[in-house]
Amino acid sequence: MHIILVGLPGCGKSTVGRQLGRRLGLPFVDSDAVIEQRAGMPIRDFFEQFGEARFRDLEEAVIDELTQGPPGVLATGGGAVLRPATRERLRARGTVVYLRSNPERLIARLRRDNKRPLLQVADPLARLKELQRQRDPLYKEVAGYVIDVQSTSLSMLVNRVLMQLELQSSHSAAAGGGA
């Protein structure tokens, strides 16, 4: 089974995912990095040349493939939850952790980031707030766990995710062992 991280751009999915993979001895994959490798260009350039719909097609295909592979930790792009088929695959093929953060905190991290195409607008904070409004219900729909990342160190955040996974594992074992 996969451990899949979802959340807004800049919430720490890749950073947390790398650490989780190390701690669990599982491979880590960032779906955006795979998409860039397959497309042969940065996501921002792909968006400019082909548009968001084609990007979402590629993203859906990549996530479908990655979630069928061997167990690992997967960090998804912020918009991966937009497609119903992708949401269904995420729920069915892994334990999904929603790393929730508020736009005001994220904007400080993303202020100088020019790689994220949806934030290349006059008012990135307003855009992040809009993305949160649209996507928060979708993240919650797929998530087995919601973990707030506000003012939490990386190691504490990874420990919180590991604790949730351990609790899930012990509940599953207890439920299965009582038959």
Side-chain angles (χ1 to χ4, degrees):
M1 194 67 116
H2 295 274
I3 299 163
I4 303 164
L5 304 173
V6 299
L8 286 172
C11 72
K13 297 178 297 285
S14 296
T15 305
V16 169
R18 259 185 226 95
Q19 290 295 321
L20 267 177
R22 272 191 210 114
R23 297 269 302 269
L24 293 169
L26 292 172
F28 166 73
V29 179
D30 182 320
S31 65
D32 281 351
V34 173
I35 290 166
E36 287 185 338
Q37 182 182 13
R38 298 244 174 107
M41 65 181 74
I43 288 172
R44 181 179 180 176
D45 294 349
F46 191 92
F47 253 73
E48 288 173 10
Q49 285 187 22
F50 304 106
E52 185 174 359
R54 287 257 318 264
F55 171 77
R56 297 295 172 205
D57 291 341
L58 179 56
E59 179 178 56
E60 183 177 341
V62 164
I63 289 174
D64 181 31
E65 180 184 319
L66 293 174
T67 57
Q68 292 183 67
V73 178
L74 173 63
T76 62
V81 296
L82 294 174
R83 295 266 176 103
T86 301
R87 290 195 305 276
E88 181 55 40
R89 288 178 186 122
L90 293 176
R91 271 194 311 269
R93 298 177 183 169
T95 299
V96 181
V97 179
Y98 170 20
L99 299 179
R100 183 172 53 193
S101 187
N102 66 44
E104 292 79 10
R105 183 173 190 277
L106 294 176
I107 200 66
R109 293 185 66 191
L110 298 172
R111 193 166 303 277
R112 291 177 190 78
D113 186 334
N114 63 359
K115 295 178 186 167
R116 300 170 198 267
L118 293 178
L119 297 179
Q120 304 311 305
V121 294
D123 188 350
L125 178 58
R127 182 67 176 135
L128 270 174
K129 286 179 178 180
E130 177 62 18
L131 291 175
Q132 181 185 40
R133 187 190 65 70
Q134 293 170 350
R135 296 175 180 179
D136 184 66
L138 302 176
Y139 294 139
K140 288 177 181 172
E141 177 188 324
V142 299
Y145 304 101
V146 177
I147 296 181
D148 264 311
V149 299
Q150 267 52 302
S151 64
T152 301
S153 72
L154 175 59
S155 62
M156 284 179 61
L157 191 53
V158 171
N159 285 338
R160 287 173 65 196
V161 174
L162 288 169
M163 205 165 44
Q164 289 297 328
L165 296 171
E166 202 172 291
L167 284 171
Q168 173 191 352
S169 177
S170 65
H171 286 305
S172 297

